[in-house]
Amino acid sequence: DAGVIQSPRHEVTEMGQEVTLRCKPISGHDYLFWYRQTMMRGLELLIYFNNNVPIDDSGMPEDRFSAKMPNASFSTLKIQPSEPRDSAVYFCASSPRRDTQYFGPGTRLTVL
Amino acid sequence: AQTVTQSQPEMSVQEAETVTLSCTYDTSESDYYLFWYKQPPSRQMILVIRQEAYKQQNATENRFSVNFQKAAKSFSLKISDSQLGDAAMYFCAYRTTYGGSQGNLIFGKGTKLSVKP
């Protein structure tokens, strides 16, 4: 298997623009997670899905953030409008049932 | 709520030597998972080792092993015969098996390991 795939790997945008991050989980994994990593706050869970259904979105910072999982092989995390404080590395991870989470390579987002 | 604490922000080890990274956690649950992840400069999060709380035997993966002390809520990682490629940030993580948050990984703040040639 190719592992968790994320795109783009790097994104530079200007404040106020819409940003969409994409993730393809490992085939057969029931769970999909979105994390954000910053120097100040470390790794934070934003939202996770089980069988394409959002289970816990309490980590989503504000209404500017939204996530979808239209099918078992694709998820998006959208920020609209983006702000400089959203600059971070965003990870997608997937896992089979309640077991080990496997991470994608991350998307480094810079909002100018 | 569960918490994970890594008390060593930075550690250093000589190549070929052994180093132990500390991790403690707080929980009232009896069944859970513990993990060590490695994050090299490439920023990829790589699973190093996994421990199930109900298993008394310490997990081992090649040069990596853990010392799991359930009563003390301690989960340290030992790296033997350290190699230059082991230099990275190491994160300890906890995952519950209960309730609605059963998917959530709770991370420590990480330990930066340097390996000296």
Side-chain angles (χ1 to χ4, degrees), chain B residues 16-71:
Chain B
E17 297 294 308
T18 296
V19 65
T20 298
L21 309 184
S22 301
C23 173
T24 58
Y25 57 95
D26 187 24
T27 185
S28 59
E29 298 169 350
S30 59
D31 191 17
Y32 46 87
Y33 295 100
L34 294 165
F35 305 87
W36 280 97
Y37 283 88
K38 168 186 176 181
Q39 188 177 39
S42 67
R43 77 170 180 262
Q44 174 81 46
M45 292 287 286
I46 302 165
L47 176 69
V48 175
I49 202 162
R50 165 185 176 274
Q51 176 80 42
E52 298 173 67
Y54 66 86
K55 290 187 176 179
Q56 293 186 345
Q57 186 174 4
N58 289 326
T60 300
E61 287 289 342
N62 300 317
R63 298 182 295 107
F64 299 87
S65 61
V66 298
N67 183 5
F68 174 47
Q69 301 289 328
K70 191 172 184 179

Side-chain angles (χ1 to χ4, degrees), chain A residues 35 37 43 91-93 101-106, chain B residues 36-40 42-48 89-93 105 107:
Chain A
Y35 290 90
Q37 185 178 35
L43 276 155
F91 287 101
C92 176
Q101 294 184 22
Y102 296 90
F103 285 73
Chain B
W36 280 97
Y37 283 88
K38 168 186 176 181
Q39 188 177 39
S42 67
R43 77 170 180 262
Q44 174 81 46
M45 292 287 286
I46 302 165
L47 176 69
V48 175
M89 282 289 286
Y90 286 82
F91 292 95
C92 179
L105 263 181
F107 286 92

